[in-house]
Amino acid sequence: MLLLVVILTLAAGTYVLRLAGVLLRDRLDLPAWSAWLLPLMATTLLTALAVSTALTEDGRLAGLARPAGGLVGGVLAWRRAPFLVVVLAA
């Protein structure tokens, strides 16, 4: 029962934070440098997550196959290959 309460509380908090971003978007004036920096921060975070997932498993290096597959998939995605081709090749 406690786990259900924790999950519902976290879900409600996440929903409220996302809703606040949508509702307060026009009221918040960001400096030009931070408006320019925010998309870069999101890209950096996602890249770091993808790289750490591709290179490690259980806190150790994942071997050669996973980084090689990630590299092949990244190159194919960069070259605008169809999504199914990228996934299958990776």
Short mmCIF file of all heavy atoms in Angstrom, two decimals, residues 14-48:
data_model
loop_
_atom_site.label_atom_id
_atom_site.label_comp_id
_atom_site.label_asym_id
_atom_site.label_seq_id
_atom_site.Cartn_x
_atom_site.Cartn_y
_atom_site.Cartn_z
N THR A 14 5.08 14.83 -10.92
CA THR A 14 5.58 14.95 -12.29
C THR A 14 4.57 15.65 -13.18
O THR A 14 4.92 16.54 -13.96
CB THR A 14 5.89 13.55 -12.86
OG1 THR A 14 6.86 12.92 -12.03
CG2 THR A 14 6.41 13.63 -14.28
N TYR A 15 3.31 15.31 -13.03
CA TYR A 15 2.27 15.94 -13.82
C TYR A 15 2.19 17.43 -13.52
O TYR A 15 2.09 18.26 -14.43
CB TYR A 15 0.93 15.26 -13.55
CG TYR A 15 -0.20 15.86 -14.35
CD1 TYR A 15 -0.36 15.55 -15.70
CD2 TYR A 15 -1.11 16.74 -13.77
CE1 TYR A 15 -1.38 16.09 -16.45
CE2 TYR A 15 -2.13 17.29 -14.51
CZ TYR A 15 -2.26 16.96 -15.84
OH TYR A 15 -3.27 17.52 -16.57
N VAL A 16 2.24 17.81 -12.24
CA VAL A 16 2.15 19.21 -11.85
C VAL A 16 3.35 20.00 -12.39
O VAL A 16 3.20 21.13 -12.88
CB VAL A 16 2.04 19.35 -10.32
CG1 VAL A 16 2.25 20.77 -9.86
CG2 VAL A 16 0.69 18.84 -9.85
N LEU A 17 4.55 19.44 -12.32
CA LEU A 17 5.73 20.13 -12.85
C LEU A 17 5.62 20.34 -14.36
O LEU A 17 5.95 21.42 -14.87
CB LEU A 17 6.99 19.35 -12.52
CG LEU A 17 7.51 19.51 -11.10
CD1 LEU A 17 8.69 18.57 -10.87
CD2 LEU A 17 7.92 20.93 -10.83
N ARG A 18 5.16 19.35 -15.07
CA ARG A 18 5.01 19.50 -16.52
C ARG A 18 3.91 20.49 -16.86
O ARG A 18 4.05 21.29 -17.79
CB ARG A 18 4.74 18.15 -17.16
CG ARG A 18 5.95 17.25 -17.13
CD ARG A 18 5.64 15.90 -17.72
NE ARG A 18 6.81 15.07 -17.67
CZ ARG A 18 7.52 14.73 -18.73
NH1 ARG A 18 7.17 15.17 -19.92
NH2 ARG A 18 8.57 13.97 -18.61
N LEU A 19 2.83 20.46 -16.14
CA LEU A 19 1.74 21.40 -16.36
C LEU A 19 2.18 22.83 -16.05
O LEU A 19 1.84 23.76 -16.77
CB LEU A 19 0.53 21.01 -15.51
CG LEU A 19 -0.72 21.87 -15.68
CD1 LEU A 19 -1.24 21.76 -17.11
CD2 LEU A 19 -1.78 21.45 -14.70
N ALA A 20 2.97 23.00 -15.00
CA ALA A 20 3.47 24.33 -14.65
C ALA A 20 4.35 24.88 -15.76
O ALA A 20 4.29 26.09 -16.06
CB ALA A 20 4.24 24.27 -13.34
N GLY A 21 5.14 24.05 -16.39
CA GLY A 21 5.97 24.52 -17.50
C GLY A 21 5.14 25.03 -18.65
O GLY A 21 5.45 26.05 -19.27
N VAL A 22 4.04 24.34 -18.95
CA VAL A 22 3.17 24.77 -20.04
C VAL A 22 2.42 26.05 -19.66
O VAL A 22 2.32 26.99 -20.46
CB VAL A 22 2.17 23.65 -20.40
CG1 VAL A 22 1.13 24.14 -21.38
CG2 VAL A 22 2.91 22.45 -20.96
N LEU A 23 1.90 26.12 -18.46
CA LEU A 23 1.10 27.28 -18.05
C LEU A 23 1.94 28.52 -17.81
O LEU A 23 1.47 29.64 -18.04
CB LEU A 23 0.31 26.94 -16.77
CG LEU A 23 -0.76 25.85 -16.93
CD1 LEU A 23 -1.41 25.57 -15.59
CD2 LEU A 23 -1.80 26.26 -17.96
N LEU A 24 3.16 28.36 -17.34
CA LEU A 24 4.00 29.52 -17.02
C LEU A 24 4.96 29.90 -18.14
O LEU A 24 5.77 30.80 -17.97
CB LEU A 24 4.79 29.24 -15.74
CG LEU A 24 3.96 28.98 -14.49
CD1 LEU A 24 4.85 28.64 -13.33
CD2 LEU A 24 3.10 30.18 -14.17
N ARG A 25 4.85 29.27 -19.26
CA ARG A 25 5.79 29.49 -20.36
C ARG A 25 5.84 30.96 -20.80
O ARG A 25 6.90 31.51 -21.02
CB ARG A 25 5.38 28.61 -21.53
CG ARG A 25 6.21 28.80 -22.74
CD ARG A 25 5.66 27.97 -23.87
NE ARG A 25 6.74 27.40 -24.62
CZ ARG A 25 6.59 26.59 -25.62
NH1 ARG A 25 5.38 26.22 -25.96
NH2 ARG A 25 7.61 26.12 -26.27
N ASP A 26 4.68 31.58 -20.95
CA ASP A 26 4.64 32.96 -21.42
C ASP A 26 4.97 33.97 -20.33
O ASP A 26 5.26 35.13 -20.62
CB ASP A 26 3.27 33.27 -22.01
CG ASP A 26 2.99 32.43 -23.24
OD1 ASP A 26 3.97 32.10 -23.94
OD2 ASP A 26 1.82 32.12 -23.49
N ARG A 27 4.91 33.58 -19.10
CA ARG A 27 5.18 34.50 -17.99
C ARG A 27 6.65 34.59 -17.62
O ARG A 27 7.05 35.49 -16.91
CB ARG A 27 4.41 34.07 -16.74
CG ARG A 27 2.93 34.21 -16.90
CD ARG A 27 2.26 33.78 -15.63
NE ARG A 27 0.88 34.17 -15.65
CZ ARG A 27 0.15 34.32 -14.58
NH1 ARG A 27 0.67 34.10 -13.39
NH2 ARG A 27 -1.10 34.68 -14.68
N LEU A 28 7.44 33.66 -18.08
CA LEU A 28 8.84 33.59 -17.69
C LEU A 28 9.70 34.17 -18.80
O LEU A 28 9.66 33.70 -19.94
CB LEU A 28 9.23 32.13 -17.42
CG LEU A 28 10.61 31.86 -16.90
CD1 LEU A 28 10.81 32.51 -15.54
CD2 LEU A 28 10.84 30.37 -16.79
N ASP A 29 10.46 35.19 -18.49
CA ASP A 29 11.37 35.79 -19.46
C ASP A 29 12.79 35.33 -19.14
O ASP A 29 13.35 35.68 -18.11
CB ASP A 29 11.31 37.32 -19.39
CG ASP A 29 9.99 37.85 -19.89
OD1 ASP A 29 9.42 37.22 -20.79
OD2 ASP A 29 9.53 38.90 -19.39
N LEU A 30 13.35 34.54 -20.04
CA LEU A 30 14.70 34.04 -19.86
C LEU A 30 15.67 34.96 -20.59
O LEU A 30 15.36 35.49 -21.64
CB LEU A 30 14.82 32.64 -20.42
CG LEU A 30 14.03 31.55 -19.71
CD1 LEU A 30 14.14 30.25 -20.49
CD2 LEU A 30 14.52 31.37 -18.31
N PRO A 31 16.86 35.11 -20.03
CA PRO A 31 17.89 35.85 -20.78
C PRO A 31 18.22 35.12 -22.08
O PRO A 31 18.03 33.90 -22.21
CB PRO A 31 19.10 35.84 -19.84
CG PRO A 31 18.57 35.46 -18.51
CD PRO A 31 17.31 34.70 -18.73
N ALA A 32 18.73 35.85 -23.05
CA ALA A 32 19.01 35.27 -24.37
C ALA A 32 20.00 34.12 -24.28
O ALA A 32 19.85 33.11 -24.96
CB ALA A 32 19.52 36.35 -25.31
N TRP A 33 21.02 34.25 -23.43
CA TRP A 33 22.03 33.19 -23.34
C TRP A 33 21.44 31.91 -22.79
O TRP A 33 21.81 30.82 -23.21
CB TRP A 33 23.23 33.64 -22.52
CG TRP A 33 22.91 33.91 -21.08
CD1 TRP A 33 22.55 35.10 -20.54
CD2 TRP A 33 22.90 32.97 -20.01
NE1 TRP A 33 22.30 34.97 -19.20
CE2 TRP A 33 22.53 33.66 -18.85
CE3 TRP A 33 23.18 31.61 -19.92
CZ2 TRP A 33 22.40 33.04 -17.61
CZ3 TRP A 33 23.07 30.99 -18.68
CH2 TRP A 33 22.69 31.72 -17.55
N SER A 34 20.51 31.99 -21.84
CA SER A 34 19.94 30.76 -21.28
C SER A 34 18.93 30.13 -22.23
O SER A 34 18.81 28.91 -22.29
CB SER A 34 19.30 31.03 -19.92
OG SER A 34 18.18 31.88 -20.06
N ALA A 35 18.20 30.96 -22.99
CA ALA A 35 17.28 30.40 -23.99
C ALA A 35 18.07 29.67 -25.08
O ALA A 35 17.59 28.68 -25.64
CB ALA A 35 16.43 31.52 -24.59
N TRP A 36 19.27 30.15 -25.37
CA TRP A 36 20.13 29.49 -26.35
C TRP A 36 20.74 28.21 -25.77
O TRP A 36 20.97 27.24 -26.47
CB TRP A 36 21.23 30.46 -26.77
CG TRP A 36 22.24 29.87 -27.69
CD1 TRP A 36 22.11 29.67 -29.03
CD2 TRP A 36 23.54 29.38 -27.33
NE1 TRP A 36 23.25 29.09 -29.53
CE2 TRP A 36 24.14 28.90 -28.51
CE3 TRP A 36 24.24 29.30 -26.13
CZ2 TRP A 36 25.41 28.36 -28.51
CZ3 TRP A 36 25.51 28.76 -26.15
CH2 TRP A 36 26.08 28.30 -27.32
N LEU A 37 21.00 28.22 -24.47
CA LEU A 37 21.70 27.12 -23.82
C LEU A 37 20.80 25.93 -23.49
O LEU A 37 21.26 24.79 -23.46
CB LEU A 37 22.36 27.64 -22.54
CG LEU A 37 23.37 26.76 -21.85
CD1 LEU A 37 24.56 26.52 -22.77
CD2 LEU A 37 23.84 27.41 -20.56
N LEU A 38 19.51 26.15 -23.24
CA LEU A 38 18.62 25.07 -22.81
C LEU A 38 18.54 23.90 -23.81
O LEU A 38 18.64 22.75 -23.39
CB LEU A 38 17.23 25.63 -22.52
CG LEU A 38 17.11 26.38 -21.20
CD1 LEU A 38 15.74 27.02 -21.06
CD2 LEU A 38 17.38 25.46 -20.02
N PRO A 39 18.36 24.14 -25.10
CA PRO A 39 18.34 22.99 -26.02
C PRO A 39 19.67 22.23 -26.04
O PRO A 39 19.70 21.01 -26.17
CB PRO A 39 18.05 23.61 -27.39
CG PRO A 39 17.45 24.92 -27.10
CD PRO A 39 18.02 25.38 -25.80
N LEU A 40 20.77 22.95 -25.88
CA LEU A 40 22.08 22.28 -25.85
C LEU A 40 22.22 21.40 -24.61
O LEU A 40 22.80 20.32 -24.67
CB LEU A 40 23.20 23.31 -25.89
CG LEU A 40 23.32 24.13 -27.17
CD1 LEU A 40 24.42 25.17 -27.03
CD2 LEU A 40 23.57 23.23 -28.34
N MET A 41 21.67 21.87 -23.49
CA MET A 41 21.73 21.07 -22.27
C MET A 41 20.92 19.79 -22.41
O MET A 41 21.36 18.72 -21.97
CB MET A 41 21.24 21.90 -21.08
CG MET A 41 22.17 23.03 -20.72
SD MET A 41 21.52 24.21 -19.52
CE MET A 41 20.94 23.18 -18.22
N ALA A 42 19.76 19.86 -23.03
CA ALA A 42 18.94 18.66 -23.23
C ALA A 42 19.65 17.66 -24.15
O ALA A 42 19.68 16.46 -23.87
CB ALA A 42 17.59 19.06 -23.81
N THR A 43 20.25 18.17 -25.20
CA THR A 43 20.99 17.30 -26.12
C THR A 43 22.18 16.65 -25.43
O THR A 43 22.44 15.45 -25.60
CB THR A 43 21.48 18.11 -27.34
OG1 THR A 43 20.34 18.72 -27.95
CG2 THR A 43 22.19 17.22 -28.33
N THR A 44 22.89 17.42 -24.63
CA THR A 44 24.04 16.90 -23.89
C THR A 44 23.62 15.81 -22.91
O THR A 44 24.28 14.77 -22.80
CB THR A 44 24.75 18.04 -23.15
OG1 THR A 44 25.13 19.03 -24.10
CG2 THR A 44 25.97 17.54 -22.42
N LEU A 45 22.53 16.03 -22.21
CA LEU A 45 22.04 15.04 -21.25
C LEU A 45 21.65 13.74 -21.94
O LEU A 45 22.02 12.65 -21.50
CB LEU A 45 20.86 15.61 -20.48
CG LEU A 45 20.23 14.70 -19.44
CD1 LEU A 45 21.23 14.36 -18.35
CD2 LEU A 45 19.01 15.34 -18.85
N LEU A 46 20.92 13.84 -23.04
CA LEU A 46 20.52 12.63 -23.76
C LEU A 46 21.72 11.90 -24.36
O LEU A 46 21.77 10.67 -24.38
CB LEU A 46 19.50 12.98 -24.85
CG LEU A 46 18.12 13.36 -24.32
CD1 LEU A 46 17.24 13.84 -25.47
CD2 LEU A 46 17.47 12.21 -23.60
N THR A 47 22.69 12.65 -24.85
CA THR A 47 23.90 12.04 -25.40
C THR A 47 24.68 11.30 -24.32
O THR A 47 25.15 10.19 -24.53
CB THR A 47 24.79 13.10 -26.07
OG1 THR A 47 24.03 13.74 -27.10
CG2 THR A 47 26.04 12.49 -26.67
N ALA A 48 24.82 11.92 -23.15
CA ALA A 48 25.52 11.28 -22.04
C ALA A 48 24.82 10.00 -21.61
O ALA A 48 25.47 8.99 -21.32
CB ALA A 48 25.64 12.25 -20.87
#
